Amino acid sequence: MDSDGTQDARGTHANPVPRPAGPPDRSAVPPMPSVAPGVPPLPDGSAFLAWVRAPRPEAAPGVWRFGHRPRPDEEPEEIPARQLLSGALIAFLVGWLLWSLLQNGYLGSWWILPLQLLAPDSWLYSDSRIGNALLYNGYTFLIALAIMVGVGRLGRWGEVWRRFVAPRFRRQQPQEAVPEPQDDPAQWNQLRAAGAADAAERLAAEARAGHMRDVDHARILRAWQGVRSGRHSLATFSSAVLEEGAAACLHPSGARDLPGRLAQHDLATGQVRLGTTVDDSRNPYAYRGAGLALGPDLLGTSLVAVGPAGSGKTGSVVRPIAESLCLHALAGRAAVVVVGAAGAGLGPADAYDVVVRVGNPESVYDLDLYGGTADPDEAAAVLAEALVGDLADPHPGGDSRRSTTVLAQLLGPYRAVHGRFPSVPELRQLLDGAPGPLGALRKALQDAGQEALIRELDARERQLGHPGDVGTVLADRVALLDRPAFAGFFDTSGRSRPFSLKALDHPVRVRVDLPERGHADASRILARLVLAQFTASTAVREDRSLFACLVLDDATGVVTPEAVRGIQRLRSAHAGVVLTLRTLDDVPRPLRGPLLGATGCRMALSGLTPWDGQDFAEVWGKEWIEARDVTDRQIIAETPAGKALHMLRRVITGHAPTARAVTVRQVERERWSASELAHGVPPGHAVLSLTNVKGEHAPPLLVNLRR
C-alpha cells in the first residue's frame, strides 16, 4: 500500500505480478465517460418540441384541445353492422345467382344482343381465334362487372370496405413533419418580429437542447405579454432571456415546476384534464369520446360540485384544479388560494408558497383576521360576514349590516387608540361589554380628543343588554376562536407573519388548512372569512390580467346571501371560486337556486339524492327531443295460402306476423331528470354543465372522471 492509500501495482501476494515488457496497448483502454456514473443523459428536447407543436384546434367549451380531432355536430346515420353485413352477403348471392342463370342460358340469350347490334360483322365473324376470344370474353367481363357494380351498390360493399377492411390495411401514421419556420411555435417568431431576434434564438436553442419545460414556455409568454402591454421594457426582457435562457422571468419562489403532477395539464391552452365524455346518447355527438377539461375561461364563471363523501370531489376535481392553478401561478398567470381540512390531500406543502396551518403550533404563517385592511368599516363588514353571515336572513336580500355596525363601533375607536385592531381575546371582551376594557378605551379617546369615536362607543354601550342586541351573538362566535388551540394565531401585534388576501395582486400559491377535527364551527367561520376576504380583495385589484381563484373544499355553512352576491361579481373581476358540497341541504333552501344561478359550471357527482337532483334538473331546464312511438299490430290473413304462410312464419320465428307502425313527434323533456341523476350516474362519473366567460354554453355532459 502506498503512502497515498492506493495499492501497489505488484499486488498483495508474495510473488510479484510481472510487468509487461513494452508500453501498454492504448487501444485496449476504454474511452473516458462524458458524464459521471449514474447521471442520466440529458434530454434532447424532442418531447417538449412535440408538445409545443401539437395541434390544438378550436373546440366547444370543456373539450380537451390537445391533439383533439373535431367531430361533426350531428351523428351520421350508420347502418348496424349485422344488417350491413347480411345485406352485403345477400347482394353477393343475388349477383352470383343472376350470373349463373345468364351463363347457363336460363334467361335466354338477350344479353348478347347489344354486342351483336354494336359490333361490326368483321369482328363477329372473324376467323381469328384470339380476336373472337378477346371480343366475347371482354364483353362477358363487362356484363359481369356491371352485375358486380349493381349488386355492390345495393349491398353497400363500399361501406363494408371502409368500416371493416380498410382499417386493417392502414399503416401507422407517420410522425408529424416539422412545420415551416414561419409557422413553428418553437421558433418564437413573435419575438423576432418585434426585434428581439437574439432572445428568440436563445429560447429556440434552449428548446432544442431540452432545457425548456411547459411552465417555462408559459411563463416567458406571460412576460412577453407584459412587454406588449407596456408594463415591461423590451430591453429588460431581452437581457433577462439572453442571460438566463429558459430560466428567465422566474416566479419569486424560484420554482420552475411542481414537485409532482397527478393530473394531465396543457399550459398552452391553460387546461387540466378531468376525464372523458362518455359515448352516450344523452351527450351531444361532438362531445362523445372527447376529453373533458377546465381552464381559467371556465373557472372564471365559478364551479360548484355536489356529491356525497367518497364520490371523488377532492381527488378527481379539487386536486387537479388546484394543481393546475399552481402551475399557472408559477407561469405568472394566476393567484390561487386552496382551503380545506388538514390532511385532505390538497397537494404537498412544497407545491405552495404559503401554507397556513390554523391551530398547528408549527405553522410558519398566520391568518390575518381583518384582511390586511386599515379601514375599520371594511374590516367590520368582512368580519361580520365570517362570524354571523350564516345567521342572516337566507333570502337573497338578507344581509348582516347590524353586525357590521356593532363591530365598526368597536374597531374604529380601538384602532384610533392603539394603532391596530384588537386581538381575538380583546375583541371578545369588548363585545361582552366588560367595564374595564370599555372604560380604558373611553378614557384614551377622551385624552386624545376623539369626540366622534366617543359617540360611536356611547352608542355601543347603550345597546348593551338590550333585547335583540347582536353583540352577544358576535361575542359567542368570537369565543369559538378564543380557544387554547388558537392562542398563537390571529395576532395583531406584529409578532407573527399573517397572510392577507391583499396579496392576490401577485402570482401567489396559498394553502389554508382548517382544524375541522374538534373545531368544526371555528373552521366554518374561517372558511367564510377567507371567502369574504377573497371577494372583497378581488374587487379592488389593480392588475386584473392575473386570474384569481379560491378553491374551497367542503363549503358546508359557507354559502350566505352576501357570499352569493360576491360570487356573482367575480366574473367581471377575472376571478372565480370552486365550491364542493356533500349535499345541497348544506345550503339554505332560499339560496340553492341563486347559488346554482351564480355559478356557470355545475357538477352533480354519482350518489346524489333525488331532492338534490331536482334542483339540478330545474336549473338545467328542458329540451325538445324527437320521440318515437312504435306500435306492433297483428296481421290477420284472409286466404288459405296466407294463413298457411302465417303459420309457417310462426313456427319458424315463434312470433305471430305483425305490422309495425312508427309515430314520430316532438316532445319537451328534462335534460337530466332527478331520478336519472340519483340512479343513472355510474360510480366515478359526474354530470357537468359548463359556461365560459364569453357566455358560450355546454349542455349537461356525462363524464367519466376515472379516465
Side-chain angles (χ1 to χ4, degrees), residues 587-675:
V587 179
R589 166 57 68 179
L591 294 179
R592 296 179 192 176
L595 173 64
L596 295 177
T599 53
C601 304
R602 313 169 189 102
M603 176 182 289
L605 288 92
S606 61
L608 211 66
T609 60
W611 39 92
D612 283 348
Q614 184 62 42
D615 292 318
F616 279 99
E618 290 178 359
V619 75
W620 281 333
K622 300 180 179 181
E623 63 178 346
W624 288 97
I625 64 168
E626 193 177 76
R628 292 175 176 264
D629 296 331
V630 181
T631 304
D632 288 336
R633 179 179 58 85
Q634 184 175 355
I635 302 175
I636 305 299
E638 299 179 355
T639 63
K643 292 180 180 180
L645 183 61
H646 285 188
M647 184 178 296
L648 178 63
R649 183 175 176 182
R650 174 176 290 184
V651 170
I652 295 175
T653 63
H655 301 283
T658 58
R660 174 169 294 183
V662 180
T663 303
V664 181
R665 55 194 178 92
Q666 295 287 331
V667 297
E668 189 180 21
R669 73 161 196 182
E670 293 176 325
R671 298 179 184 270
W672 280 83
S673 68
S675 179

Side-chain angles (χ1 to χ4, degrees), residues 50-110:
W51 171 81
V52 78
R53 291 168 178 167
R56 295 173 175 87
E58 293 295 330
V63 173
W64 174 251
R65 291 173 52 192
F66 181 79
H68 173 64
R69 294 183 179 179
R71 304 178 69 179
D73 294 335
E74 298 293 336
E75 182 178 6
E77 295 185 2
E78 191 174 80
I79 301 174
R82 181 177 178 181
Q83 180 180 348
L84 181 63
L85 294 176
S86 61
L89 178 60
I90 293 173
F92 171 75
L93 295 177
V94 169
W96 188 7
L97 176 62
L98 179 61
W99 174 248
S100 178
L101 294 176
L102 290 176
Q103 284 291 94
N104 294 301
Y106 290 103
L107 299 180
S109 58
W110 58 267

